[in-house]
Amino acid sequence: MLLVTCTEDLKDLNINPKTSDEMSDGYLFTYALNVTGGRQYTAKRVNLFLCSTFIQQFANLSTGDYGVGDKYLYSNTFCSAYFDESYPQAVKELTMLIHKLKDDPEMVNNLSMARIWRAVVFHVITDLYGDVPYSEAGLGYLSQNYTPKYDTQQSIYADMLKELEEAVAAFDTSKPNWGAADLIYGGDIAKWKKFGYSMMLRLGMRMSKVDPSSAAGWVQKAVAGGVMIDNDDIAFVPRSESGSREYNQNPNSWPFHETDWDEKISKTLIDFMLETNDPRIDVMFEKGSANTVHYGMPNGYDHSTIKAYEGLENDEELDLNIYSDVNPILVNLGAPLIYMTYAEVEFMLAEASERGWGGVTNAKSHYDKGVKAAMQMFTLYDPSLSVSDEAVNTYLAANPYNSSSGFELIGEQYWIATWMNFYESYSNWRRTGYPVLTPVNYPGNESNGQIPRRIRYSSSEYSVNPSNLAEAISSMGADAFTTRVWWDVAQ
């Protein structure tokens, strides 16, 4: 009896009566939103240094890791980053949360938000790599499955669309929700439904070349359900300006864009905006301190080869301050992390109209609305970054929509509208081929002088999950930059 009593007393000594032995569901959801995309370690390596330079929105002179995307070189650390951080963070937490909520009818709204967000997380993972662990992912804690199988991207897309459809249909305004723990919409179910249908629209459009019939069906469901209708519907995670740059966990690449990384705005993007007299150019960028005009850095050069391009002698130093850079207002720790904009939705609706999908008509009207929304959304960062209605109308009058080149015009504007979300810019460029970009052919590149179609798998998978990885590679193709993912059909 004494032994039993002493043992029970010892157990009590290990219990803090002021804390819970379970993490709250709301905290888990907030945490999942915060860690989507990984830390800034991942954001700057994959979003900024790979995706943004692949599609020539930034350029980089470095021949080290920071310049690999600009020159289509391979870096294990950079390619592995998104995979290595997404699975043990956002994927694991969302899997556990969904498992916990799925049988509680009172928690249907929270469950729907988690299911929608899981699609947000996974569509970026699969779009970057192709076939990836999905159906068995995140089950290490729940079922001790530490070597999940790789699902085909086709099956992943089918399930993500199913999840979105079921999640938006299950919302119930009579039931509670997370409220303030929902960093995106503060528990606003109407906005979550629009976001869910907008994601359905994005995924449906992603299949436009590989499975146009299914794509059209999902686009129709999304439009009928109700997508975003203005910039108040933009899906973003707010950030705090507090904390140190070195250790901040903010997965927004902007605050970590440093001048010593040899990276500047690409000449391709600057020239495009100058040619169209785009009023966003002074909102998004600042002129180099050694220049009186906007001037972009060409892609595919290093510190030596750029000298000849700029007409310098070998013993002359290049002043990087001749190149345009990010508007400093955008480069702060409090910059919001945007996952989907209303402008993107309008451009997808314009494309749907051109394709005759979803009962959508008047492509020009949707295109014009998309341009206006894209130009005026920067007030999300700061009220001073406004573009007037007059400036938008002047731009549209000088650069009118023309159905005969509609797909190209839509693709070009989508490219600019997703400038803050390079993952999406890169995926949509692979799908549409717009804007038309001239690849670089730097010596030793890994893609035969072509813009990479995907990034390579995490090197850790070769040792911890080799058989499942080998099966995926056998099914999809070589683990190479030149292998196309399922929806990226060459045409």
Side-chain angles (χ1 to χ4, degrees), residues 100-174:
K100 186 175 182 180
L101 298 174
K102 64 184 176 65
D103 296 322
D104 186 347
E106 287 298 303
M107 295 292 103
V108 65
N109 292 323
N110 295 348
L111 176 62
S112 289
M113 293 177 195
R115 293 172 78 181
I116 291 171
W117 198 253
R118 188 172 185 270
V120 172
V121 170
F122 265 108
H123 96 283
V124 177
I125 298 173
T126 186
D127 286 353
L128 286 173
Y129 296 98
D131 296 356
V132 293
Y134 177 77
S135 59
E136 296 181 357
L139 297 177
Y141 177 79
L142 294 172
S143 61
Q144 290 72 58
N145 182 350
Y146 304 112
T147 55
K149 70 175 183 178
Y150 279 60
D151 296 275
T152 65
Q153 187 175 66
Q154 182 176 6
S155 67
I156 293 171
Y157 260 70
D159 192 72
M160 288 191 298
L161 286 162
K162 185 252 327 166
E163 286 290 289
L164 291 171
E165 183 176 28
E166 292 180 358
V168 292
F171 277 118
D172 185 343
T173 56
S174 70

Side-chain angles (χ1 to χ4, degrees), residues 281-296:
I281 197 162
D282 288 321
V283 170
M284 296 163 61
F285 316 128
E286 68 168 356
K287 300 180 184 73
S289 59
N291 212 327
T292 59
V293 296
H294 282 290
Y295 183 61

Side-chain angles (χ1 to χ4, degrees), residues 208-283:
S208 63
K209 290 183 177 179
V210 69
D211 190 353
S213 178
S214 292
W218 284 109
V219 167
Q220 184 169 350
K221 287 183 182 181
V223 173
V227 293
M228 293 180 178
I229 59 173
D230 55 38
N231 277 345
D232 287 341
D233 292 331
I234 292 175
F236 70 93
V237 174
R239 295 294 169 187
S240 170
E241 293 186 18
S242 62
S244 116
R245 283 180 175 269
E246 183 177 0
Y247 299 109
N248 193 282
Q249 300 299 298
N250 185 345
N252 190 332
S253 53
W254 292 126
F256 306 93
H257 175 67
E258 303 289 354
T259 56
D260 60 353
W261 287 348
D262 301 330
E263 185 156 276
K264 299 291 182 179
I265 309 300
S266 170
K267 173 179 171 60
T268 305
L269 179 55
I270 290 291
D271 286 356
F272 182 89
M273 297 181 76
L274 287 174
E275 288 168 7
T276 58
N277 199 24
D278 195 313
R280 283 170 290 188
I281 197 162
D282 288 321
V283 170

Side-chain angles (χ1 to χ4, degrees), residues 36-37 46-47 51 82 86 118-130 132 153 156-157 160 199 202-203 206 339 421-424 426-427 430 455 487:
T36 296
V46 186
N47 194 34
C51 294
Y82 204 93
S86 292
R118 188 172 185 270
V120 172
V121 170
F122 265 108
H123 96 283
V124 177
I125 298 173
T126 186
D127 286 353
L128 286 173
Y129 296 98
V132 293
Q153 187 175 66
I156 293 171
Y157 260 70
M160 288 191 298
M199 280 297 301
R202 177 189 279 179
L203 298 188
R206 199 79 96 225
Y339 287 94
N421 181 2
F422 303 121
Y423 303 120
E424 181 59 21
Y426 177 46
S427 289
R430 285 179 286 164
I455 63 175
W487 51 255

Side-chain angles (χ1 to χ4, degrees), residues 271-347:
D271 286 356
F272 182 89
M273 297 181 76
L274 287 174
E275 288 168 7
T276 58
N277 199 24
D278 195 313
R280 283 170 290 188
I281 197 162
D282 288 321
V283 170
M284 296 163 61
F285 316 128
E286 68 168 356
K287 300 180 184 73
S289 59
N291 212 327
T292 59
V293 296
H294 282 290
Y295 183 61
M297 175 185 285
N299 291 87
Y301 289 83
D302 58 35
H303 282 281
S304 296
T305 58
I306 193 69
K307 290 184 178 182
Y309 175 87
E310 297 293 358
L312 300 175
E313 299 295 333
N314 286 334
D315 59 348
E316 292 183 271
E317 288 296 324
L318 173 68
D319 185 355
L320 291 180
N321 291 315
I322 65 173
Y323 300 113
S324 296
D325 208 340
V326 183
N327 184 334
I329 296 177
L330 302 177
V331 187
N332 65 77
L333 290 172
L337 186 57
I338 296 176
Y339 287 94
M340 175 170 270
T341 66
Y342 162 59
E344 296 169 54
V345 170
E346 286 292 355
F347 292 132

Side-chain angles (χ1 to χ4, degrees), residues 79-90:
C79 285
S80 298
Y82 204 93
F83 194 104
D84 289 348
E85 292 214 337
S86 292
Y87 281 100
Q89 295 186 40

